[in-house]
Amino acid sequence: LRPSIIVELSVFPNPVTDSLRIKAELEVASPLNIRLYDSLGRLVLEAESTSADRYFEHTLPMADLTSGMYYLELTDGQQSVSRPVIKG
């Protein structure tokens, strides 16, 4: 099992109202899949990064989602990192 390619991950603001900003530093430049799940495990948002850089930034629009707990998952196809996100 290789170590995670994500060296550092920031997700803000949390709680979020409109847009969630995601910043990550990667071990090596790699495409990332971004998924947001609701508290029941249903996929509610999905995006893909094709960045050729080790520093990744993305904004997820969350204004139309209902308030509650969500789980953000970033994956390179082999390993993933997740963070809880609260929508206020």
Side-chain angles (χ1 to χ4, degrees):
L1 187 67
R2 66 186 175 95
S4 175
I5 63 156
I6 299 173
V7 175
E8 187 172 327
L9 176 62
S10 299
V11 178
F12 59 95
N14 194 4
V16 61
T17 53
D18 296 320
S19 296
L20 184 68
R21 303 238 5 239
I22 303 162
K23 288 187 176 185
E25 180 183 347
L26 309 177
E27 184 71 34
V28 293
S30 176
L32 291 177
N33 290 318
I34 305 154
R35 294 184 182 103
L36 188 70
Y37 297 92
D38 67 13
S39 60
L40 299 176
R42 296 176 298 204
L43 180 64
V44 293
L45 285 174
E46 187 171 24
E48 186 175 349
S49 144
T50 55
S51 176
D53 196 349
R54 289 184 48 233
Y55 298 95
F56 165 79
E57 286 190 40
H58 190 79
T59 301
L60 278 183
M62 294 187 62
D64 294 338
L65 298 178
T66 59
S67 297
M69 178 67 81
Y70 292 86
Y71 297 93
L72 176 72
E73 178 186 77
L74 275 69
T75 181
D76 68 348
Q78 294 183 357
Q79 295 196 349
S80 64
V81 175
S82 62
R83 296 285 187 272
V85 175
I86 299 169
K87 168 69 165 73

